[in-house]
Amino acid sequence: EVKDAKAFILGGKHRQIDPGNMLVITRPKETSIDELEGAWVEMHKRKMQDQERVVERESLNGEIIVLFLRSTGTFVFLYNGNNKLTFEGRPLTRNKFYIFKQGGIIRGNEIAPIYYSEVSSRFFQKPGGIKIVLSAVNIEYRYPLSQNGIRPFSFSEESGQLIGIMGVSGSGKSTLLNVLNGKLKPRKGKILINSNDIHRDAAKIEGQIGFVPQDDLLIEELSVYQNLYYNAKLCFGNLNEERISEIVEKVLRDLGLDEIRDLKVGNPLNKFISGGQRKRLNIGLELMREPSILFIDEPTSGLSSLDSDMVMALLKEQAVKGKLVIANIHQPSSDNFKLLDKLWVIDKGGYPIYTGNPLEAVVYFKTLSGQVNPGQTECLCCGNIAPEHILKIIEAKEVNPSGYHTQKRKVRPEEWYQHYKEKIAPGRSEKPARNVLPPNMFSIPGIEKQFWIFSVRNFLSKISNRQYLFISLVEAPVLAFILGYFTKYLHEGEYLFAENVNLPSFLFMAVVVSLFLGLTVSAEEIIKDRKILERESFLNLSWFSYLNSKLGWVFLLSAIQMISFVIVGNLILEIRGMTLTYWLVLFSAACFANMLGLAISSAFNSVVTIYILVPFVLVPQLLLGGVVVKFDDLHDSVTDKVYVPLVGDLMASRWAFEALAVQQFAGNRFQKHFFDHEQLNSDASFKASFLIPRLMSKVELAERNIRIGAGTVETERDLVILRNEIDYLQRSSGLMPFEYIDNINPEEFHGLVAEETAGYLIYMRLHYSQIAREAAAERDMVYLHLEEEMGSHALHNLRQGHHNKALADLLLNRYEVNFIYRSDTRLVQKKDPVYLIPESNIGRAHFYAPVKKFNYVYVDTLWFNISALWLMSLILYLAILLNIPGRVVAFFESFSFLTEK
Ligand code: ADP
Ligand code: MG
């Protein structure tokens, strides 16, 4: 290299340079040889030509000689001719050497620009790469219920080119890219990559197409390196860690992002890296997979001219390296326009109106529109082209008689399209293609591995956001403190758990907190990743793995939030022995809310929508949770006053609150010794003291009315109730069945039947009184036993520390005056709901039931309710997995779209 460098610098000794490290840019004509150095040049040139180390430029005077220093990967060049050339905006001095930097361009008025990529590719390009031909055969696309789309369009383009698409905004450029990259399926026609249909042979062309949408695909909280790294992990399931980091390093170097590798990406408002760097990083995510065809939507929009130049140089480099690069370019600068190998112009309505050489496009449109100097494409003095002229000509408006421009276009898109079909389309030729595709490293990992990659990526991005993390972790215990502090009711200056009248409110608020936190933790999760998700579905990455990784995170966060909430809250209110129970219930409720949040997040397309929706989701949970308004007091259309109404059963708050309240009442360390006896006592004494006396008075009344012939509808209803209740009593008591039960009807209910009925009821009452007495005695026994065992003081303390009176009042319905509600067919017990065992066999029950019966099995309310919460979560999970919320929203959107039309 030292020898080469010497020979290069000490002018005139270029023949001593190793031809493998040298490249000559020269005029194609043989005459230029004179200016080189005789026979040596001939030989050298031939040698270099063999290695494709000669680049030709029309009308270049003299040569540009490029030396490649392999060890550092540096290119150095000098120019020995008389043309006025510039490099990086400054004129080149003859025979002075310059370092040819990445993205550099040597320009001159007379010559086509010489790009870094063109030079470097001669040294790096692997000869004999597989050529790629992308063809479209009469593709046509139309958005549903719209005139917009792509009109019939055919083309055939081979790799190694940079194709630019121009057109006014809204003409269909992005649509065309999405049709070509396979996201939108054309209505007619087909798209082929080396004769493989991109839709029919989707598996075969996997990994060949790369697509960089206009929006960012970056994960804001991660660094530049991490963004590339996790992308690589997801794209190369079969490479080891070492290879992956090699690939990432290479992308960092190639894209000039090495210096900012550890910077957080941030978002365009909260900037850490520049717009051009963001764009290059976005492109890098796709380039890393080495797709053979790269589609890029508006790579330069919104970038400074310097950034645009860098991005365009990068794209050109990819083209030179043998890829087919197709990009939407809005208002390219003259220099960038000159980089294009081909230009496509699309007009409003999706009409293709030009395909071909970019410079000739100017001539074409000038000629068709009858402008002066149609043959002149560039400025005579500076050599600049004004690509915006093309759009101006296409969009030119008619002038009205008073000399003002009208809104009407001189040439409508259809007419331009007609010209295109007549003048350009027929000249198109089909490029031959072999039915082989270049090998591709792209291989997505299995769903389990994806799950881990997603999880780690998500975790890292979460913990890098300190503010979010801090608030998430501190919020729950602070809320618990606030709730606990304000609901700490002091009884005569002293706090006693038993006397705290606010316990039910605290429990309900705890449920509300769990739902709120659960919802807010997850509501933004999916929506934030919307663009990234779109890309990941483009890459066929697993939605299942992604969703589970999100769930893993929000569940973990909810678990931590809820345990910290319960610990602080229970400590303040001196709730004993319930930590795990409360946590389990509140965690389950929070997980349900997590699911709900994810479902909303997956369905809607803006964060604002979500926050507007949160009240819609939470208000019913508050209202229909059974606490704020009692279920029996709801509107008549929803409640039958027997069981919790169905709308209530749909509320997570109902299940969670009931589980907490019942378990706190029935499962605490004091009550659990007595619960069974008290339940027996409650049941029997209700029947003996309330139900049966009420039935007996009905017997008397009905018998008299029927006897005197004054039987009414009311009497008939009483008889139905009587019959049902006696049936219920005989079943639940297990005693001798009542033999006249079928005779309890208006025709036969007199004399013997009525007498027998009254007798049977007396018999039943005796039976239940007996049971009630025994149960009470047994409970007293247990009490005495305990007293003996632990002392009466300790027993008293146990009671004061565990049995809350306010909660007992609520669960025993002590403030209710009517212990019986008469429905059309039954007498419904309203006393002691927490002791009443429900009859429904599908799990329906009144509020505060101690157990639920499902399929002839009794399940404790705690476990039944937790299962109900998880069942609801599971249903939501499946819905999200199948994207049902999204589809429902899309359905309604299409509906409103329809009415707008
Ligand atoms: P651009 O050339 O600016 O990239 P697009 O390809 O995004 O334009 O859009 C082309 C036309 O199609 C526009 O007029 C746009 O309003 C319309 N369009 C885009 N998406 C849809 C859609 N989903 N349904 C109906 N019309 C659409
Ligand atoms: Mg667009």
Side-chain angles (χ1 to χ4, degrees):
E1 277 185 356
V2 171
K3 227 177 72 198
D4 283 352
K6 250 187 192 165
F8 177 79
I9 291 166
L10 306 177
K13 294 195 178 162
H14 298 141
R15 62 179 141 156
Q16 290 166 16
I17 299 176
D18 177 352
N21 294 334
M22 181 173 144
L23 176 142
V24 174
I25 302 164
T26 180
R27 198 175 348 176
K29 298 200 186 70
E30 279 303 296
T31 48
S32 69
I33 289 168
D34 305 348
E35 293 156 27
L36 284 178
E37 294 171 21
W40 167 82
V41 179
E42 285 270 24
M43 183 198 75
H44 236 61
K45 198 174 165 189
R46 235 192 354 265
K47 255 196 194 165
M48 288 189 292
Q49 225 145 17
D50 289 344
Q51 302 184 11
E52 301 189 33
R53 292 287 160 70
V54 172
V55 172
E56 293 180 340
R57 280 292 181 277
E58 275 317 328
S59 54
L60 175 72
N61 172 268
E63 297 87 29
I64 298 171
I65 294 163
V66 183
L67 171 71
F68 179 43
L69 300 170
R70 250 170 229 283
S71 60
T72 56
T74 316
F75 293 94
V76 197
F77 73 92
L78 56 75
Y79 174 54
N80 60 20
N82 306 322
N83 290 76
K84 285 200 168 58
L85 301 186
T86 60
F87 180 65
E88 294 183 332
R90 264 160 297 177
L92 282 184
T93 310
R94 196 179 140 97
N95 282 332
K96 185 173 175 237
F97 69 90
Y98 296 85
I99 290 181
F100 207 161
K101 285 194 207 119
Q102 180 114 27
I105 306 172
I106 305 173
R107 300 178 194 276
N109 289 346
E110 294 92 353
I111 62 159
I114 298 154
Y115 304 104
Y116 170 85
S117 50
E118 201 174 354
V119 169
S120 64
S121 67
R122 300 298 170 109
F123 289 91
F124 298 136
Q125 205 173 34
K126 284 173 241 110
I130 295 172
K131 202 173 70 179
I132 287 276
V133 175
L134 174 71
S135 317
V137 187
N138 271 318
I139 47 165
E140 201 181 337
Y141 181 80
R142 199 71 68 76
Y143 285 111
L145 306 169
S146 154
Q147 285 302 308
N148 291 316
I150 296 298
R151 308 288 161 159
F153 183 36
S154 302
F155 64 83
S156 176
E157 300 290 358
E158 54 184 26
S159 48
Q161 305 185 83
L162 172 58
I163 299 178
I165 307 178
M166 274 174 68
V168 291
S169 112
S171 54
K173 303 181 296 291
S174 304
T175 310
L176 179 60
L177 282 194
N178 282 329
V179 169
L180 294 181
N181 72 28
K183 261 195 193 173
L184 299 176
K185 197 168 174 353
R187 212 195 241 197
K188 290 196 193 121
K190 54 187 176 180
I191 301 160
L192 304 171
I193 298 178
N194 281 9
S195 333
N196 297 291
D197 188 304
I198 64 164
H199 290 286
R200 250 186 321 111
D201 310 318
K204 259 165 103 184
I205 60 132
E206 178 156 83
Q208 302 288 349
I209 296 180
F211 173 56
V212 184
Q214 195 175 351
D215 312 272
D216 262 335
L217 296 172
L218 308 175
I219 298 177
E220 293 166 8
E221 291 87 5
L222 294 185
S223 69
V224 170
Y225 181 86
Q226 284 171 325
N227 264 289
L228 289 169
Y229 174 79
Y230 288 104
N231 185 63
K233 290 281 276 186
L234 288 168
C235 290
F236 308 117
N238 48 0
L239 297 187
N240 58 23
E241 208 57 27
E242 208 174 310
R243 282 283 290 131
I244 284 182
S245 76
E246 262 172 41
I247 290 176
V248 175
E249 295 293 338
K250 183 167 180 306
V251 174
L252 282 172
R253 258 181 285 118
D254 289 355
L255 270 58
L257 298 171
D258 215 12
E259 294 144 41
I260 55 156
R261 55 188 292 151
D262 292 323
L263 283 187
K264 218 163 108 166
V265 165
N267 60 37
L269 294 178
N270 179 13
K271 265 189 171 179
F272 292 93
I273 66 174
S274 79
Q277 287 166 336
R278 291 183 82 79
K279 199 74 209 175
R280 274 181 281 149
L281 183 53
N282 274 301
I283 296 172
L285 292 180
E286 280 297 74
L287 275 188
M288 144 190 311
R289 300 192 286 122
E290 303 261 337
S292 344
I293 304 176
L294 189 60
F295 296 103
I296 305 170
D297 202 356
E298 312 253 353
T300 58
S301 297
L303 298 190
S304 70
S305 64
L306 201 66
D307 278 334
S308 300
D309 292 351
M310 274 172 101
V311 169
M312 287 301 287
L314 174 71
L315 298 185
K316 179 72 186 177
E317 191 179 325
Q318 295 307 314
V320 171
K321 276 187 187 162
K323 296 192 190 336
L324 179 58
V325 183
I326 302 184
N328 277 347
I329 303 192
H330 201 68
Q331 298 226 324
S333 68
S334 160
D335 290 341
N336 287 338
F337 187 72
K338 285 181 185 169
L339 287 181
L340 300 180
D341 296 296
K342 283 265 169 64
L343 176 71
W344 295 349
V345 184
I346 309 283
D347 201 356
K348 279 234 159 73
Y351 292 99
I353 58 171
Y354 180 84
T355 59
N357 182 299
L359 293 184
E360 281 165 19
V362 184
V363 181
Y364 173 80
F365 286 108
K366 273 187 171 178
T367 312
L368 276 186
S369 63
Q371 298 213 346
V372 287
N373 278 345
Q376 182 191 325
T377 57
E378 39 198 15
C379 167
L380 286 180
C381 43
C382 62
N384 276 352
I385 305 169
E388 62 271 19
H389 264 167
I390 298 178
L391 295 186
K392 274 192 190 143
I393 295 172
I394 295 169
E395 283 234 276
K397 301 286 194 308
E398 268 181 6
V399 178
N400 69 11
S402 12
Y404 292 110
H405 281 282
T406 59
Q407 285 303 308
K408 204 162 157 257
R409 269 170 61 162
K410 273 187 189 160
V411 186
R412 286 178 300 121
E414 293 85 346
E415 293 171 56
W416 286 122
Y417 183 51
Q418 202 54 38
H419 285 306
Y420 167 78
K421 282 204 288 197
E422 281 161 16
K423 301 196 170 61
I424 298 177
R428 195 177 59 83
S429 63
E430 201 63 48
K431 302 269 184 335
R434 288 193 296 152
N435 190 359
V436 281
L437 292 166
N440 198 290
M441 283 196 298
F442 180 63
S443 107
I444 52 179
I447 51 173
E448 197 180 320
K449 203 163 161 203
Q450 284 185 47
F451 168 76
W452 286 113
I453 301 169
F454 284 135
S455 297
V456 175
R457 184 179 78 174
N458 190 44
F459 184 75
L460 287 177
S461 76
K462 290 296 180 302
I463 61 166
S464 91
N465 190 343
R466 295 285 146 83
Q467 202 175 23
Y468 160 86
L469 204 62
F470 178 77
I471 299 214
S472 303
L473 293 181
V474 164
E475 181 175 36
V478 169
L479 280 173
F481 177 78
I482 294 173
L483 285 185
Y485 183 81
F486 286 111
T487 56
K488 192 157 183 170
Y489 171 82
L490 299 187
H491 178 69
E492 290 164 8
E494 180 194 10
Y495 181 76
L496 276 177
F497 174 74
E499 303 293 339
N500 187 353
V501 294
N502 295 323
L503 184 70
S505 309
F506 173 77
L507 295 184
F508 186 65
M509 285 311 293
V511 171
V512 172
V513 165
S514 73
L515 293 175
F516 248 110
L517 292 188
L519 201 61
T520 48
V521 156
S522 70
E524 251 193 70
E525 281 301 321
I526 293 181
I527 212 166
K528 246 176 66 191
D529 291 352
R530 195 156 205 90
K531 292 289 160 201
I532 297 165
L533 269 171
E534 211 169 285
R535 170 182 146 81
E536 285 171 355
S537 82
F538 179 73
L539 296 181
N540 273 328
L541 295 179
S542 160
W543 166 241
F544 175 74
S545 304
Y546 172 85
L547 181 61
N548 288 338
S549 77
K550 282 289 172 200
L551 278 183
W553 168 253
V554 290
F555 280 7
L556 176 72
L557 197 56
S558 291
I560 297 173
Q561 288 185 329
M562 286 307 123
I563 193 70
S564 54
F565 179 90
V566 172
I567 288 176
V568 173
N570 288 12
L571 217 63
I572 295 177
L573 293 186
E574 298 174 21
I575 300 168
R576 296 178 189 86
M578 284 286 155
T579 309
L580 224 56
T581 312
Y582 279 20
W583 176 76
L584 203 57
V585 174
L586 294 179
F587 172 64
S588 305
C591 288
F592 168 79
N594 288 157
M595 281 299 184
L596 205 57
L598 288 181
I600 299 176
S601 189
S602 72
F604 294 94
N605 54 16
S606 81
V607 178
V608 188
T609 324
I610 287 182
Y611 286 109
I612 293 173
L613 272 172
V614 166
F616 274 104
V617 177
L618 284 180
V619 168
Q621 299 280 351
L622 301 186
L623 182 71
L624 301 174
V627 178
V628 177
V629 180
K630 281 165 72 181
F631 286 129
D632 287 352
D633 299 344
L634 285 175
H635 190 270
D636 257 3
S637 62
V638 291
T639 177
D640 59 4
K641 297 193 170 40
V642 179
Y643 296 135
V644 171
L646 276 174
V647 283
D649 280 340
L650 291 177
M651 298 297 134
S653 52
R654 163 247 191 282
W655 297 107
F657 180 75
E658 189 189 46
L660 288 179
V662 169
Q663 190 62 18
Q664 173 64 52
F665 175 83
N668 70 58
R669 247 179 252 153
F670 174 78
Q671 194 74 22
K672 68 178 180 195
H673 299 289
F674 308 105
F675 187 82
D676 289 344
H677 305 300
E678 284 188 350
Q679 179 172 42
L680 205 55
N681 174 271
S682 156
D683 179 64
S685 60
F686 172 76
K687 284 175 178 143
S689 324
F690 294 96
L691 182 64
I692 297 174
R694 176 76 79 91
L695 292 176
M696 286 165 90
S697 71
K698 281 196 189 307
V699 168
E700 227 169 88
L701 192 69
E703 193 268 338
R704 199 192 64 201
N705 281 346
I706 289 173
R707 181 156 41 80
I708 62 170
T712 56
V713 180
E714 196 64 12
T715 315
E716 270 175 48
R717 212 170 77 166
D718 276 349
L719 289 179
V720 170
I721 290 175
L722 209 50
R723 201 187 136 126
N724 284 338
E725 291 304 327
I726 289 178
D727 182 49
Y728 166 65
L729 285 174
Q730 69 187 17
R731 267 186 297 116
S732 51
S733 66
L735 293 181
M736 177 185 72
F738 181 49
E739 58 182 313
Y740 295 102
I741 187 146
D742 290 331
N743 305 96
I744 304 180
N745 56 52
E747 284 76 40
E748 302 173 69
F749 196 74
H750 46 73
L752 178 69
V753 174
E755 258 168 52
E756 285 292 331
T757 309
Y760 188 75
L761 287 174
I762 292 170
Y763 164 63
M764 273 289 166
R765 190 169 66 171
L766 280 174
H767 169 72
Y768 278 113
S769 307
Q770 175 74 10
I771 292 181
R773 260 198 312 279
E774 278 169 18
E778 260 173 76
R779 182 196 55 201
D780 294 345
M781 284 280 289
V782 172
Y783 193 88
L784 287 175
H785 201 75
L786 275 177
E787 204 169 26
E788 232 166 70
E789 209 169 89
M790 53 199 296
S792 68
H793 187 65
L795 186 57
H796 176 74
N797 280 351
L798 188 68
R799 186 189 163 92
Q800 293 294 340
H802 291 90
H803 178 85
N804 180 274
K805 287 183 188 158
L807 190 67
D809 289 346
L810 185 68
L811 268 56
L812 298 174
N813 209 6
R814 285 212 178 112
Y815 297 117
E816 178 66 65
V817 211
N818 300 316
F819 284 151
I820 294 176
Y821 164 74
R822 195 188 72 168
S823 79
D824 281 346
T825 53
R826 294 293 301 265
L827 294 180
V828 184
Q829 174 179 342
K830 288 293 160 194
K831 183 177 183 288
D832 299 352
V834 76
Y835 291 131
L836 175 63
I837 292 176
E839 285 177 68
S840 158
N841 196 29
I842 54 164
R844 297 202 61 192
H846 56 281
F847 207 35
Y848 308 130
V851 291
K852 311 267 154 75
K853 190 163 133 197
F854 188 79
N855 196 20
Y856 300 103
V857 179
Y858 287 101
V859 186
D860 271 352
T861 279
L862 174 68
W863 299 111
F864 188 89
N865 287 16
I866 288 177
S867 312
L869 286 171
W870 283 101
L871 180 70
M872 295 199 300
S873 298
L874 180 71
I875 291 169
L876 276 177
Y877 173 75
L878 293 178
I880 304 170
L881 205 56
L882 300 173
N883 194 21
I884 290 170
R887 285 179 214 206
V888 170
V889 170
F891 174 76
F892 282 108
E893 263 174 4
S894 73
F895 206 66
S896 64
F897 181 71
L898 210 151
T899 48
E900 259 168 46
K901 276 270 138 172

